[in-house]
Amino acid sequence: DRDARCRGRAISHRRMDGLGDDTRTRLTAPYNSSTSINPCITCPDDPCIIKDKKQMIKCNVTVCGIINRDATTRTNKEGKPFFTFPLQIMVPATDGQGKPVEIDVSKDGGQEEASCYRKGSRVEIDGTMYLKHRGDRTYFNLFANEIRDVAADAANTLKGEMVFCGKVGKNIEEKKDKKDQSYTMFSAFSTEKVADGFEYQWVRFFCFNRQREEWLQPGVKIDAKGEMGLTVHNGKPNVSCRVEELTQCVADSSNSNQ
């Protein structure tokens, strides 16, 4: 039956995943244009579909949430099938209440596999997530490596590592935490060329257990890597990163974040 077929397919995926490179290695590698990358679910006609050779913000994540709509199949420009569905998770909000955030999930596969993912099911997904800002909205596009069924009462989660390239904003603050330990907080933005204009995605960075680098100044270009965080403030997603690695970015004339 369908349930048995889906369980068997999930086991097969886990076995195949063990044969490939670790996703953390794939995260830091530049995008290969021959790789099958599918368009954004929420705005498939967007001229800035994820296809650039270097993404400015991408995250290697594990997400657990509820499927909001039955998976549907589509075909990419190379004629290869993939399926998509929206996944809803609850994230902390500054008002103390959890708020829903929707993530657009896609994965290579046909109708048989897509039939396993129905509205209301709770799943856990490993994959690479890209952030895309349009107007006053932030879209989360997750390209899944593995999808697993989990218990109906499994906790909502979004955890993983962010890789970021962009420019530091105007304010860099030196603060102390509740244990009187010093840390540095600043925001930085990634720029994406869209049609005749630009879109900007801001991320707030926290640097603990390290002294502020002398070169860390407003307007400086950075490469950063660290633990991704997501909250909701005034109804909008607030993306953050607890920094593990921070370096000054080497200029690249082909990069719009310069």
Side-chain angles (χ1 to χ4, degrees), residues 36 38 74-82 108-109:
S36 175
N38 305 316
R74 298 169 62 181
T75 304
N76 65 18
K77 292 182 178 179
E78 290 77 36
K80 296 180 180 179
F82 66 97
D108 291 337

Side-chain angles (χ1 to χ4, degrees), residues 148-207:
R148 299 177 292 274
D149 292 328
V150 294
D153 60 352
N156 284 270
T157 57
L158 172 58
K159 57 185 179 181
E161 182 183 65
M162 173 185 291
V163 172
F164 174 93
C165 178
K167 286 185 178 181
V168 177
K170 294 181 179 180
N171 299 319
I172 303 174
E173 302 179 72
E174 304 289 338
K175 293 179 171 287
K176 289 185 179 293
D177 62 19
K178 295 179 179 180
K179 297 182 179 180
D180 203 38
Q181 299 295 311
S182 298
Y183 68 95
T184 304
M185 182 180 74
F186 65 93
S187 293
F189 62 92
S190 175
T191 307
E192 183 182 5
K193 183 75 166 67
V194 181
D196 296 328
F198 294 89
E199 292 282 356
Y200 305 92
Q201 176 63 53
W202 286 87
V203 176
R204 178 163 294 187
F205 292 89
F206 298 90
C207 302

Side-chain angles (χ1 to χ4, degrees), residues 132-159:
K132 184 168 70 170
H133 195 77
R134 295 292 182 271
D136 61 352
R137 294 193 61 184
T138 298
Y139 296 96
F140 301 90
N141 299 312
L142 175 58
F143 298 95
N145 297 323
E146 181 182 353
I147 304 175
R148 299 177 292 274
D149 292 328
V150 294
D153 60 352
N156 284 270
T157 57
L158 172 58
K159 57 185 179 181

Side-chain angles (χ1 to χ4, degrees), residues 89-155:
I89 63 172
M90 301 297 291
V91 301
T94 52
D95 62 5
Q97 301 294 319
K99 300 293 183 182
V101 169
E102 192 167 272
I103 298 173
D104 299 320
V105 179
S106 68
K107 188 179 187 300
D108 291 337
Q111 182 58 47
E112 182 179 359
E113 184 176 357
S115 66
C116 297
Y117 304 111
R118 298 295 182 89
K119 179 179 179 179
S121 300
R122 184 174 290 274
V123 293
E124 185 177 70
I125 304 172
D126 296 332
T128 303
M129 186 167 69
Y130 300 88
L131 279 61
K132 184 168 70 170
H133 195 77
R134 295 292 182 271
D136 61 352
R137 294 193 61 184
T138 298
Y139 296 96
F140 301 90
N141 299 312
L142 175 58
F143 298 95
N145 297 323
E146 181 182 353
I147 304 175
R148 299 177 292 274
D149 292 328
V150 294
D153 60 352

Side-chain angles (χ1 to χ4, degrees), residues 19-75:
L19 300 177
D21 295 332
D22 183 82
T23 54
R24 193 174 295 267
T25 301
R26 291 198 295 270
L27 176 66
T28 56
Y31 166 63
N32 186 326
S33 59
S34 65
T35 302
S36 175
I37 293 292
N38 305 316
C40 169
I41 303 165
T42 52
C43 40
D45 297 323
D46 193 312
C48 247
I49 285 170
I50 295 173
K51 60 184 178 182
D52 299 327
K53 290 188 177 181
K54 184 177 182 182
Q55 292 299 320
M56 298 302 104
I57 305 177
K58 57 182 178 180
C59 309
N60 182 38
V61 298
T62 297
V63 183
C64 181
I66 296 176
I67 297 175
N68 249 0
R69 187 177 62 245
D70 289 357
T72 57
T73 56
R74 298 169 62 181
T75 304

